[in-house]
Amino acid sequence: MGHVQTVTVSADEADLRLDRWFRRHYPQVPHGRLQKWLRGGQVRIDGRRAEAGSRLDPGQCIRVPPLGDDRPPPPAKAAPPPVASADANELLRRVLYRDDHLIVLDKPFGLAVQGGTRTHRHLDAMLDVLRFGGERPRLVHRLDRDTSGALVLGRTAAAAAALTKAFKSKTAQKRYWAVVVGVPAYPQGRIDVALAKVLGRGGERVQADAEHGRPAITDYRIIAKAGREAAWLELEPVTGRTHQLRVHCAAMGTPILGDGKYGGAAAFPGSQWSGSRLHLHARAIVIPHPAGGTLDAEAPLPDDLKTTWRFFGFSETDGDDLRPRPGGCASIR
């Protein structure tokens, strides 16, 4: 194609990086060529210069320079592979709430939300299972592969756009539960540590970087303690950086139990925790509902985390002392 194109970002592409958007739509464009376009201002988002890591919002317009007539057309987007019946049944069982606008899913540990170079089994490829006679649901935010808990999906383009806006504007409140090794010095507080992504031998990771990092803020409180060995924390991210909660907990000197990536050997304080999962759970989301009112959703503790809670003598009901309610539910108020 030898002409400039203007392409509108779809709802299911919300918060996608610009370089990954290009890889999805124009796989024939080498990364080096894209970087040259960006440096020259030839690729723009809503008329403004952009960077490879710029995050996209639904409805934004991307200026795509002429690709050149010698370039092969992009291949047709392959249909997602069929979903195994066991995976389909598990997803349906994990629906905490649904209406005409959204779905709240209790995402299991170990399931990636989106695919990648070495990730072929992921939620994004299974979303047709959750149509319930309507449109294919859209992702509006993400959880790490190893984080379980409440995940919201938009059932229409309009609902997805409204939910995405709420997450980006910080009007959505997210509450996580974590078991950390050791006990923070103060019973509650705010962690204000800028974070930056770096590439290393083990792939991409995040680290504290006051000079070059992006602002990252997490509020925390201690719900319960097991002596000086461990603590149950409630974490509320004010910002939404990659791996923010994991790096912030490690920065306090109290890594999340089972987080070898950021806690190293300290994240496995005894033989019983060898190979243990990441003890981080997205407990609750409070977000404006696209049709009005407020969605208030909670995901119950998984059975494997309940085992850890019992080991340390924690009572699940202690975490909901401000709003007593059953183990997992959702409502509109």
Side-chain angles (χ1 to χ4, degrees):
M1 289 174 283
H3 59 278
V4 172
Q5 303 176 72
T6 301
V7 184
T8 302
V9 177
S10 63
D12 63 347
E13 294 169 332
D15 209 33
L16 191 67
R17 284 171 54 106
L18 179 61
D19 53 358
R20 293 177 181 170
W21 183 90
F22 260 91
R23 196 179 310 146
R24 176 182 295 185
H25 289 269
Y26 304 100
Q28 75 274 29
V29 175
H31 183 72
R33 191 175 191 213
L34 173 61
Q35 290 288 358
K36 183 177 180 180
W37 284 345
L38 290 167
R39 287 193 299 270
Q42 296 185 65
V43 174
R44 292 178 176 262
I45 301 175
D46 286 344
R48 296 186 292 273
R49 296 177 73 102
E51 298 178 353
S54 298
R55 297 286 181 174
L56 302 176
D57 290 329
Q60 286 183 320
C61 295
I62 300 178
R63 180 190 188 275
V64 180
L67 302 180
D69 295 330
D70 57 332
R71 301 279 176 178
K77 189 174 180 180
V83 180
S85 58
D87 286 335
N89 291 335
E90 177 70 359
L91 282 185
L92 293 172
R93 186 181 69 81
R94 287 180 169 273
V95 172
L96 295 172
Y97 175 85
R98 71 179 170 97
D99 58 27
D100 291 340
H101 305 277
L102 56 82
I103 293 171
V104 182
L105 189 69
D106 181 12
K107 189 194 82 69
F109 161 79
L111 178 64
V113 171
Q114 290 181 301
T117 305
R118 291 176 289 181
T119 304
H120 304 292
R121 180 180 176 271
H122 52 88
L123 177 62
D124 194 24
M126 304 178 186
L127 290 178
D128 281 323
V129 172
L130 302 175
R131 283 178 176 270
F132 297 108
E135 300 177 26
R136 190 176 196 268
R138 290 135 166 115
L139 298 170
V140 296
H141 70 121
R142 288 178 298 280
L143 293 175
D144 289 348
R145 178 204 304 266
D146 294 335
T147 302
S148 56
L151 183 76
V152 178
L153 305 170
R155 295 196 65 191
T156 67
L163 292 166
T164 299
K165 182 179 179 181
F167 279 109
K168 291 184 72 68
S169 64
K170 301 181 178 61
T171 54
Q173 179 185 8
K174 294 179 286 185
R175 186 159 54 99
Y176 291 76
W177 282 355
V179 173
V180 298
V181 180
V183 179
Y186 300 98
Q188 62 184 31
R190 168 164 286 192
I191 310 164
D192 188 349
V193 176
L195 303 177
K197 292 182 180 179
V198 294
L199 288 176
R201 294 175 59 185
E204 187 178 78
R205 60 182 287 119
V206 178
Q207 66 181 24
D209 188 332
E211 183 176 358
H212 302 291
R214 301 175 68 187
I217 299 172
T218 302
D219 291 330
Y220 78 90
R221 73 179 178 104
I222 298 174
I223 298 175
K225 297 183 290 185
R228 299 301 302 171
E229 296 180 3
W232 169 13
L233 303 187
E234 178 181 85
L235 302 166
E236 292 193 14
V238 178
T239 55
R241 308 301 178 210
T242 300
H243 295 176
Q244 174 177 315
L245 302 182
R246 299 167 65 179
V247 180
H248 275 176
C249 286
M252 285 199 298
T254 55
I256 297 176
L257 183 64
D259 188 6
K261 180 164 186 161
Y262 294 107
F268 305 94
S271 58
Q272 69 269 35
W273 307 115
S274 177
S276 181
R277 66 159 283 187
L278 179 73
H279 283 63
L280 180 63
H281 180 68
R283 171 63 172 175
I285 292 178
V286 179
I287 189 171
H289 192 283
T294 301
L295 171 72
D296 192 340
E298 288 189 347
L301 271 181
D303 289 341
D304 55 352
L305 293 190
K306 286 182 179 179
T307 300
T308 299
W309 258 242
R310 288 193 296 268
F311 177 87
F312 287 115
F314 300 149
S315 172
E316 183 179 352
T317 57
D318 291 343
D320 292 319
D321 53 1
L322 300 180
R323 295 181 302 156
R325 54 178 52 194
C329 62
S331 62
I332 307 297
R333 53 179 171 84

